[in-house]
Amino acid sequence: MRYENPLQLAEELGALDLLADQRIAIGISRGSPETALRGYEAFGYTGSKDPRGADIAREKFATFLRAIDGEGMVEADPARAPRGTMLPITPHSNGLRDRIWWGSATRETAQWVGEMGLNLMSSTLLTEEAGMPFHELQREQIDRYREAYAAAGHTRPPRVSVSRSIFPLVSDADRAYFGGRPDSDQVGMIDGYVSTFGKTYAAEPDELIEQLRADSAVMAADTVMLTVPNQLGVDYNAHVLQAFAEHVAPALGWKPNTDGPVRGDRIELSTTS
C-alpha cells in the first residue's frame, strides 16, 4: 500500500470486481521488506515518520476503504453539478470491502483487522516471537482477530487464510527435492524485528495429514494458501498443487470450488456471567 494511489486502486478494483462477477479476493498490506531505502518516496509518497512506511500505508488504506464504500471523495465543479456535490470513485462494486484481505504479520495488527471488519491473511512469517511454536503463535493471532471482529459488531462470517509450504512426497522428484530434510520453526531478524518463521511440511501424504491436523492455525483457518518454489517451474508446481488436492486436502475438510463459494466461519462474542 505504500506504493499505491488509494483512489486509483479503488477505481481499478471496482472495475475488476464487476468484471469478475464480484468474485475477487484482494490481499493488501503495508508491503514486505524491500531493497530500496524508503523507495515509496521515489513515487511521490512522502511524509512517513516510519522508515518502513507503515504510517502512510495505513493512511492511504483508510482513504481506499472510504472510496470503495462509495463515499464522495472530491467536490464537484459547481459549473457542472450543484454546489457542494461530492463525487465518488466509479465504477462502484457493492460489497467490495467484504472481499478485501489484509496481510497481517503480528497479533496486534490482526486485532486491528478484526476491528475494521476485513478478512485476515497470515503467512509463514510473523514479525514477533513469544517463545511458542509458530502455529500456536499464529493461532493466537487468529483468535485475537476473531474476538476483535465480534466485539466490533461485525456480523458477516469473516474469512481467515494461512500460508504454508507443503510438499506431499508422491514421486521420485518430490523425494529428491524435499525428502529427508528435517525442518522446524526458526527465529531470526527481518526488517528490524525478531521474527518467527514457520517450518516447511514435506512427507508422505498420510504423515502430512497428521502433521497438518496438529497445526492449530491450519485447523482454525478456512483457507490454506500454498507457497510454491517458482524456481522449479510451472509444471512441477502444478504437480505439487495437484498432489496436495488429491492426497491431503480432502482429509483436512477441503471442498473443491464446484461445491460453491467458500464461506467463513460464523463467530459470536463470548460472554461470561
Side-chain angles (χ1 to χ4, degrees):
M1 201 69 206
R2 297 169 294 188
Y3 284 83
E4 292 289 343
N5 180 310
L7 300 186
Q8 181 178 354
L9 183 63
E11 179 184 281
E12 291 172 345
L13 294 188
L16 178 60
D17 198 40
L18 292 172
L19 289 170
D21 197 23
Q22 298 185 316
R23 293 183 296 114
I24 67 171
I26 297 296
I28 299 176
S29 72
R30 176 203 76 186
S32 60
E34 58 178 344
T35 303
L37 178 63
R38 302 178 73 96
Y40 45 87
E41 293 184 347
F43 288 75
Y45 302 122
T46 60
S48 174
K49 296 180 175 59
D50 180 347
R52 304 174 186 89
D55 49 355
I56 63 171
R58 291 281 188 98
E59 291 170 8
K60 291 200 288 182
F61 187 59
T63 300
F64 164 79
L65 289 179
R66 290 172 51 215
I68 66 171
D69 286 343
E71 288 189 29
M73 303 304 296
V74 64
E75 187 173 356
D77 183 346
R80 297 176 177 271
R83 188 174 297 276
T85 298
M86 297 297 291
L87 301 176
I89 294 296
T90 58
H92 174 70
S93 182
N94 289 327
L96 177 56
R97 178 190 278 255
D98 294 345
R99 293 177 285 283
I100 301 297
W101 304 63
W102 183 269
S104 171
T106 67
R107 291 168 292 181
E108 181 181 0
T109 303
Q111 183 174 328
W112 170 77
V113 177
E115 293 167 355
M116 298 283 284
L118 306 169
N119 302 308
L120 177 69
M121 294 177 67
S122 187
S123 74
T124 55
L125 163 70
L126 293 174
T127 55
E128 54 185 341
E129 193 274 329
M132 63 178 71
F134 174 83
H135 74 95
E136 293 180 7
L137 182 61
Q138 192 173 50
R139 174 59 190 266
E140 186 175 321
Q141 181 193 36
I142 294 170
D143 291 343
R144 287 180 61 170
Y145 160 77
R146 287 179 169 150
E147 289 169 4
Y149 189 97
H154 303 297
T155 58
R156 173 186 63 86
R159 297 286 305 279
V160 174
S161 75
V162 297
S163 298
R164 290 291 184 272
S165 297
I166 304 173
F167 301 98
L169 304 182
V170 298
S171 72
D172 290 341
D174 300 330
R175 297 180 186 93
Y177 283 133
F178 301 104
R181 298 193 319 173
D183 198 12
S184 60
D185 298 341
Q186 298 181 25
V187 175
M189 294 292 297
I190 186 168
D191 210 20
Y193 295 105
V194 178
S195 303
T196 307
F197 304 80
K199 66 181 181 179
T200 294
Y201 288 92
E204 301 292 328
D206 289 348
E207 185 179 350
L208 266 186
I209 290 167
E210 294 307 311
Q211 291 176 355
L212 292 170
R213 282 176 173 166
D215 187 314
S216 59
V218 166
M219 300 312 295
D222 62 69
T223 298
V224 175
M225 302 180 68
L226 300 188
T227 60
V228 292
N230 55 14
Q231 305 94 324
L232 297 181
V234 173
D235 290 342
Y236 183 74
N237 284 325
H239 158 74
V240 170
L241 297 176
Q242 183 174 354
F244 181 77
E246 290 184 358
H247 300 290
V248 180
L252 303 177
W254 172 74
K255 298 179 181 179
N257 63 3
T258 52
D259 289 359
V262 178
R263 305 294 184 188
D265 298 321
R266 184 171 296 279
I267 56 176
E268 298 180 359
L269 179 63
S270 61
T271 59
T272 57
S273 59

